[in-house]
Amino acid sequence: MKRPVLLIDDSENILTRMKEFLEKLGQKEIHLEKCIENGIKKFQELSKEGIHPIAFIDYDIQDGSGISLLSRLLELDPDGEIIIMTALEKNSEIISKLINEGAYEILSKPIRLEALKNIFSIIELENSEEPKYADISELLKTTNRLSEAWLSDKLSVNNEELNKNIERWISDGKIKQIEDIKEVFCPSCNSIKTGHIFHCPQCKRSDFNQIDLIEHYSCGNIAEEREFRNDKCPSCNKELKALGIDYRRIKNHYVCNSCENKFSEIGCDFLCLNCNKQFTEEEAVWKSSRGFLGISKYA
Ligand SMILES: [Zn+2]
Ligand SMILES: [Zn+2]
Ligand SMILES: [Zn+2]
């Protein structure tokens, strides 16, 4: 059974291109949303008993921040697959963080049909009755750093069989062992399928936007960029002249849409994608297992 696909992106171009690709791949139910709030509403509408949408979200979306959107969707339906579309480098630190944070996959912009196809074939494999990765190449198409614990979860085979496979993949030159990888497990059901839930440190809700602040050197005023109307400082009313000379931009601040708190450190809890338990960093169970690196033309 095909699952509904939801696209959330503020770029008309990307929506059109993605829709074209999805239709080529035989997807029947495709929903397009341009703003975060409508996107979230639609996601909630699509998540029903036994039906979990596959959502493609724009990480660089204008009217909010991708990380808040990811948290809010995961909270609504931890079984939904959320794929992040971004122009960020695939090997950047943020990307590996996003995957740990519960994003299912990352789709790099510009979006290629082949990459999109890979994502669907992995989703299909994982949702088939008996997932079997006789060939690890499928898994290596989208991730190249794997842990033994993660593999054991993906493959759902016993330890003996897993070890046999690992040895074979190593001798076939598909993966090589690296240092151990430490990962979070759910303290309640012991599952490795966990994500992060980000929230405002004050009211603990996940509905926040990223904002840029501007510091006006001559008067010391720090305010949101949008308050500097017509490039005039809202405090001293003088005009901003040149970036780096009389003012600077401060990136990575957030404003909470619920309590209006402004903050730079996002609050964070874990969410178990298996049993839905939310837990704090202190409650998390950390375990190490052997780490592997994929040796593949796709890696
Ligand atoms: Zn759990
Ligand atoms: Zn708040
Ligand atoms: Zn000023």
Side-chain angles (χ1 to χ4, degrees):
M1 186 203 56
K2 293 263 190 216
R3 292 156 65 181
V5 178
L6 170 64
L7 305 176
I8 307 176
D9 200 303
D10 52 1
S11 148
E12 193 76 55
N13 280 340
I14 295 209
L15 289 179
T16 314
R17 194 176 160 83
M18 279 289 287
K19 185 162 182 271
E20 227 170 77
F21 282 172
L22 289 165
E23 283 168 351
K24 267 191 198 155
L25 295 174
Q27 295 301 318
K28 294 268 177 315
E29 197 187 336
I30 305 165
H31 302 268
L32 313 178
E33 292 295 346
K34 282 188 87 168
C35 92
I36 285 191
E37 290 311 317
N38 292 345
I40 289 171
K41 254 184 242 151
K42 184 53 86 180
F43 185 83
Q44 192 165 23
E45 222 176 279
L46 295 173
S47 313
K48 295 182 204 109
E49 193 62 45
I51 298 179
H52 307 286
I54 300 170
F56 290 84
I57 65 172
D58 178 20
Y59 184 69
D60 324 302
I61 201 157
Q62 290 294 318
D63 68 348
S65 78
I67 211 151
S68 156
L69 180 57
L70 175 62
S71 295
R72 293 172 71 191
L73 297 182
L74 279 176
E75 273 181 321
L76 285 173
D77 185 358
D79 292 318
E81 252 81 82
I82 300 156
I83 296 106
I84 286 188
M85 302 183 285
T86 178
L88 290 168
E89 283 285 318
K90 197 163 179 161
N91 294 323
S92 79
E93 217 172 288
I94 306 174
I95 293 293
S96 43
K97 255 183 77 191
L98 284 170
I99 289 282
N100 286 330
E101 281 149 12
Y104 185 74
E105 279 302 338
I106 306 292
L107 189 58
S108 306
K109 290 181 195 170
I111 288 152
R112 290 165 28 247
L113 181 61
E114 195 55 30
L116 194 59
K117 203 171 148 191
N118 285 340
I119 289 181
F120 279 103
S121 57
I122 286 177
I123 291 177
E124 224 157 84
L125 267 173
E126 286 189 359
N127 289 288
S128 63
E129 288 299 299
E130 238 177 293
K132 275 213 174 72
Y133 295 98
D135 187 354
I136 198 175
S137 309
E138 280 301 320
L139 281 177
L140 291 177
K141 278 179 186 170
T142 47
T143 177
N144 68 345
R145 214 167 156 265
L146 330 153
S147 75
E148 186 174 353
W150 185 83
L151 276 170
S152 139
D153 175 78
K154 286 269 178 197
L155 303 170
S156 41
V157 290
N158 62 37
N159 277 345
E160 198 187 328
E161 190 146 338
L162 179 67
N163 278 323
K164 257 200 285 181
N165 278 321
I166 287 176
E167 270 164 41
R168 186 162 53 84
W169 291 326
I170 292 178
S171 67
D172 287 352
K174 292 195 166 142
I175 54 173
K176 66 172 182 196
Q177 192 167 340
I178 51 168
E179 71 279 0
D180 286 1
I181 296 178
K182 209 172 166 195
E183 287 155 311
V184 166
F185 291 74
C186 169
S188 166
C189 75
N190 208 24
S191 170
I192 193 179
K193 288 195 186 82
T194 61
H196 280 99
I197 290 294
F198 294 95
H199 50 71
C200 157
Q202 189 167 288
C203 72
K204 308 269 181 221
R205 300 185 62 172
S206 297
D207 182 7
F208 54 85
N209 286 347
Q210 188 164 9
I211 47 165
D212 278 359
L213 300 179
I214 283 184
E215 177 179 2
H216 192 209
Y217 292 149
S218 46
C219 75
N221 179 35
I222 297 178
E224 269 183 69
E225 185 172 18
R226 61 184 173 88
E227 290 171 52
F228 286 75
R229 290 218 176 85
N230 302 322
D231 282 346
K232 272 203 185 112
C233 170
S235 167
C236 68
N237 221 20
K238 276 192 199 132
E239 207 167 316
L240 298 181
K241 286 189 199 95
L243 184 65
I245 305 291
D246 64 327
Y247 75 95
R248 71 170 175 131
R249 208 180 284 274
I250 308 173
K251 292 258 178 204
N252 294 327
H253 274 66
Y254 303 89
V255 59
C256 174
N257 294 328
S258 300
C259 73
E260 293 183 358
N261 177 32
K262 285 189 189 122
F263 51 97
S264 58
E265 297 264 324
I266 310 176
C268 171
D269 278 335
F270 291 95
L271 171 70
C272 174
L273 304 179
N274 186 43
C275 75
N276 293 8
K277 184 186 168 67
Q278 278 198 31
F279 53 97
T280 63
E281 181 144 25
E282 288 77 54
E283 293 166 322
V285 176
W286 289 86
K287 281 190 246 176
S288 291
S289 67
R290 282 190 291 164
F292 303 97
L293 195 66
I295 309 168
S296 140
K297 58 182 170 166
Y298 302 102

